[in-house]
Structures are given as C-alpha cells and as structure tokens.
Amino acid sequence: MCPLISRNYKGDVPMTEIDHFMPLLMQREEEGMLAPLLSHGRVHFLWIKHSNLYLVATTLKNANASLVYSFLYKTVEVFCEYFKELEEESIRDNFVIVYELLDELMDFGFPQTTDSKILQEYITQQGNKLETGKSRVPPTVTNAVSWRSEGIKYKKNEVFIDVIESVNLLVNANGSVLLSEIVGTIKLKVFLSGMPELRLGLNDRVLFELTGRSKNKSVELEDVKFHQCVRLSRFDNDRTISFIPPDGDFELMSYRLSTQVKPLIWIESVIEKFSHSRVEIMVKAKGQFKKQSVANGVEISVPVPSDADSPRFKTSVGSAKYVPEKNVVIWSIKSFPGGKEYLMRAHFGLPSVETEEVEGRPPIGVKFEIPYFTVSGIQVRYMKIIEKSGYQALPWVRYITQSGDYQLRTS
C-alpha cells in the first residue's frame, strides 16, 4: 500500500520509512497489540484513522505526542472544511491544494497556521493566482490575533450563544446508576464588526467563592478547555472569560461534570417468552424532568432476540419499527413532556427450535434533546461586548440538553 501524499518537513526521516507502517500496523492488529504509537527501529509512527485514510506523523525524537495528535486532528478538521468529506477520492482530486495546505499548516516541523478560516483567505479551491508585484501575505497571518481578520463589518451586530450539554449514563438492571457524567460545550456564532473584546460570565462556583457570593446556584466545572482566543492568564487569576472572538461559528469552551444525574428518561422493560414460540416485550418510558420542559426526537432502542420474526406493535404514543439488521425495535416519540409516562408493547414470533441465550441482552439505548434546559444548572450571567466604535450588540443565549451515551441494562 503506497502513501497517497506525503511531506517531509525536516528531512531527518527517510521517505522510505513509511513503507514499514502498514505491515507493522497489520502485524500488531493480528497480535491484539494495536497502539496509537508504533515504532520501527529508531523511527516512531504516530497515527490516526479517519474514514478510509491513515494520517501518520513520523519522528526520530521523543516528541510531544499530545501536540502531534492535536496537529493530526486539526489537519483532518481543515481538510474537512475544504473538501466536505475527507477520503481517498477527495485527496486524489485536490492534491495540489493539499500540498499547499500542508506547507501552510506546518513549517520545518512546527505547527504554523491551523485555522481554516484564515487559510481560506489565501488558499482557495480555485487555485492561487498571484500577480507579480501584487502578492502579499494576508495580515491575519502576522497579526497578534491570528484567528480574526481586520476590517470585518456587519449592519446588525449580534452574538448567538449555545450551551449544549450531553448526558452520559449507564444504569444496571437493578436500577442503580453505574456511570453518570455531563459533557458540556459553549458554542458561539459571532456577527460583530471590528475587533471587539468579549467577556462572558457564568455561575462558576470558584468565581462565586472568590467574590463571596452564595454557592447555591453555582456549578463546579471540571476539565475546562478553551479556544485559543481566551486569555488563560486572566481566567487563572480571576475566572474571567475574556477574548477577542473569531468571526462566525466556533467552540469557545468545553467542560465536564462528574455528578450523580437522575435519569431524565427512565425505562422499565418486561420480556415474556412463551414456550419458545413467541415473545412479548413491554416497555414503559417516563420523563423524569420538570413538567415545563419537553424532550424532542426521542428514540428508544429495545434489543430483541436475533431469531425474532412477525413483529406487531402497540404504542400509547409515537410509533415503533423493527430493524432486523440491528436486532432492535426503535420506538420514536416526537414530543415527550416532562412527568409523562408512555407504554409500548411488541409481539414477535420465535422459531420452534429451542435456543438458549448464552449472553445477556444488550442494554436499551435512548436518544433525546431537551431545549431551554441544562441538567447541570449552568447559566450565562452576562456577555459584555466592548468595541472602540461603541456600537450596541445583542447577545442571544440558548440552552440544550441531549443524550450522549445513554444506556439502561435490562439483564
């Protein structure tokens, strides 16, 4: 298997070394010892897989592995911005642009410009047509604020803030919560003129302790990660989230909360088998969130025996369908208000041949989205927008809670 495209930035690793990567990868996979870092002699391969492609970085040194992987994932992100889908065909169709991007993304082994919006200012999919005497480096590349261009103007200045929380939950057959965490992101869509400075205030518990406020309505954020635009020293000193934002969409920050979450949608199921000729499944779903809220697009995936056939369903709300290739029944409910309780009954025929279940049944999975609601209680207290021209801008805030890896075991 030959490399599709490659770039040797320092010249210290022979180009032929990549020929050892795939045989080594396949050998380790067969041995069950596959790892994200493989070595052949003095050469180390740090790799990730995306779609049908392997992106591999090589080094002779004890390099910063976190930085290398971060760069590889950022490269995937940039290519996806350019080509929509990153796969073998898109690389073959755009190899000239890919080489141009690789030369801008890194210089002599050091990451350089990795923001796709900035790269798109001077590397276009129509090709680079620079006339003699008129070529220039975009000022953004040499700015102190490399993620935002100068001279941006909007007729209406607005900022849209989305606070999105995903609930990861695993409940055992006895109803005990085995795993419970909230993974949150704050995403911004910025339409602001000039070079504004933004300050975001949250009900952060550490901030409330510093300022002597009541901790009752505060949240303790863990594993906080920020976009590069945030002034980290300012946050470390007084927990102020201060930044000059990129233009358009970006993720400002992410956080995690390891906290005991009451299951927002509770599932109970009963399965009855009748002399190996048929099986009946009863599933009860209850919304355990406040009555003013509504869960949208609820999908409850109920596992069924692999040899089941002749499905029949009865639901108190929504619709159910059998997906035989996945051995599940998917019960779909468009709108599920808090405090409500619904039932679904499924009837299947089973072959007359008796088959013992060797393994326990897979867990029931639930997907949902609850707008205007956060399970952690995080709140945007304020958004200050400061720009030298003194224009007025409107911040809009939206809260969404959705299912992450949300599973309830039944046996």
Side-chain angles (χ1 to χ4, degrees):
M1 188 180 289
C2 297
L4 272 177
I5 206 158
S6 60
R7 172 62 82 215
N8 194 332
Y9 290 105
K10 286 188 170 182
D12 56 343
V13 180
M15 297 290 278
T16 53
E17 283 293 337
I18 194 63
D19 297 338
H20 301 292
F21 172 71
M22 282 309 295
L24 190 61
L25 183 80
M26 293 167 72
Q27 179 190 334
R28 291 295 172 85
E29 198 167 16
E30 287 174 6
E31 295 171 352
M33 298 171 62
L34 195 58
L37 192 152
L38 303 173
S39 298
H40 178 261
R42 294 174 54 236
V43 179
H44 307 293
F45 301 102
L46 296 89
W47 63 278
I48 63 171
K49 188 178 182 183
H50 180 88
S51 187
N52 56 357
L53 297 173
Y54 290 93
L55 285 83
V56 188
T58 60
T59 180
L60 290 170
K61 299 179 179 178
N62 183 15
N64 183 335
S66 297
L67 178 62
V68 176
Y69 289 117
S70 179
F71 178 79
L72 290 175
Y73 282 111
K74 193 68 184 176
T75 302
V76 169
E77 190 180 311
V78 169
F79 286 171
C80 287
E81 286 282 335
Y82 267 81
F83 314 131
K84 304 305 177 193
E85 290 184 13
L86 177 57
E87 54 187 14
E88 183 177 341
E89 190 177 343
S90 60
I91 295 291
R92 290 187 186 279
D93 290 345
N94 299 280
F95 72 95
V96 173
I97 297 166
V98 170
Y99 272 122
E100 287 184 359
L101 287 170
L102 289 173
D103 287 341
E104 294 300 331
L105 284 163
M106 184 173 278
D107 185 27
F108 196 65
F110 295 97
Q112 192 173 243
T113 307
T114 59
D115 193 307
S116 60
K117 289 176 184 174
I118 304 306
L119 289 164
Q120 284 168 4
E121 289 185 22
Y122 59 104
I123 296 180
T124 68
Q125 283 170 289
Q126 284 74 42
N128 231 358
K129 296 178 182 177
L130 298 177
E131 295 179 24
T132 308
K134 292 186 179 179
S135 61
R136 66 181 181 84
V137 176
T140 323
V141 176
T142 54
N143 275 355
V145 183
S146 61
W147 53 86
R148 185 178 179 88
S149 303
E150 292 181 355
I152 296 171
K153 290 183 181 179
Y154 287 101
K155 287 183 179 179
K156 190 176 183 181
N157 292 289
E158 295 177 302
V159 179
F160 296 89
I161 307 164
D162 280 346
V163 181
I164 303 167
E165 291 191 339
S166 296
V167 179
N168 296 331
L169 189 79
L170 179 61
V171 179
N172 70 10
N174 299 325
S176 302
V177 176
L178 301 178
L179 180 147
S180 169
E181 69 172 2
I182 302 162
V183 178
T185 58
I186 297 181
K187 296 181 179 181
L188 268 62
K189 189 176 285 188
V190 177
F191 303 107
L192 296 175
S193 305
M195 199 68 73
E197 179 174 329
L198 277 57
R199 290 175 191 164
L200 179 70
L202 304 172
N203 56 335
D204 174 12
R205 182 161 298 174
V206 178
L207 172 64
F208 277 36
E209 287 175 352
L210 288 171
T211 54
R213 301 181 193 183
S214 170
K215 295 187 288 183
N216 291 342
K217 292 188 177 180
S218 63
V219 294
E220 188 169 355
L221 305 176
E222 303 168 28
D223 294 344
V224 181
K225 297 180 180 69
F226 288 111
H227 186 275
Q228 61 174 328
C229 67
V230 175
R231 296 184 177 93
L232 295 180
S233 58
R234 183 86 185 268
F235 181 77
D236 290 340
N237 288 335
D238 58 14
R239 306 293 282 195
T240 299
I241 303 171
S242 174
F243 56 99
I244 296 171
D247 188 44
D249 298 354
F250 74 102
E251 185 178 298
L252 176 69
M253 62 179 284
S254 64
Y255 58 90
R256 185 179 60 85
L257 291 164
S258 295
T259 181
Q260 193 74 12
V261 179
K262 183 181 180 182
L264 298 172
I265 294 180
W266 180 254
I267 305 292
E268 292 177 18
S269 68
V270 176
I271 295 182
E272 286 186 90
K273 283 190 175 181
F274 296 89
S275 64
H276 296 278
S277 62
R278 73 182 196 275
V279 62
E280 290 185 3
I281 302 170
M282 188 276 289
V283 177
K284 181 165 67 174
K286 184 178 180 180
Q288 297 192 144
F289 47 94
K290 59 185 182 180
K291 293 181 180 178
Q292 302 95 311
S293 297
V294 176
N296 297 326
V298 177
E299 283 191 359
I300 301 167
S301 300
V302 184
V304 298
S306 57
D307 53 352
D309 59 22
S310 310
R312 296 202 312 270
F313 305 110
K314 187 177 181 181
T315 61
S316 61
V317 71
S319 61
K321 67 175 181 179
Y322 177 41
V323 185
E325 61 270 21
K326 294 183 179 178
N327 297 321
V328 296
V329 171
I330 296 180
W331 179 17
S332 301
I333 305 168
K334 286 184 179 178
S335 182
F336 197 138
K340 292 288 184 180
E341 190 172 292
Y342 298 121
L343 281 173
M344 187 272 288
R345 293 181 185 275
H347 179 284
F348 287 90
L350 288 176
S352 56
V353 179
E354 294 190 7
T355 55
E356 293 294 325
E357 288 188 23
V358 179
E359 297 179 1
R361 283 180 291 115
I364 291 175
V366 186
K367 291 182 181 178
F368 59 85
E369 187 173 280
I370 308 174
Y372 318 112
F373 173 78
T374 57
V375 69
S376 72
I378 192 170
Q379 290 179 344
V380 175
R381 293 172 46 241
Y382 64 82
M383 167 67 85
K384 292 180 181 176
I385 302 163
I386 305 159
E387 214 279 330
K388 61 182 179 182
S389 65
Y391 61 70
Q392 295 297 308
L394 295 169
W396 304 91
V397 184
R398 181 173 61 168
Y399 298 96
I400 301 170
T401 291
Q402 59 191 21
S403 56
D405 188 6
Y406 193 104
Q407 299 183 341
L408 299 97
R409 291 178 181 167
T410 55
S411 63

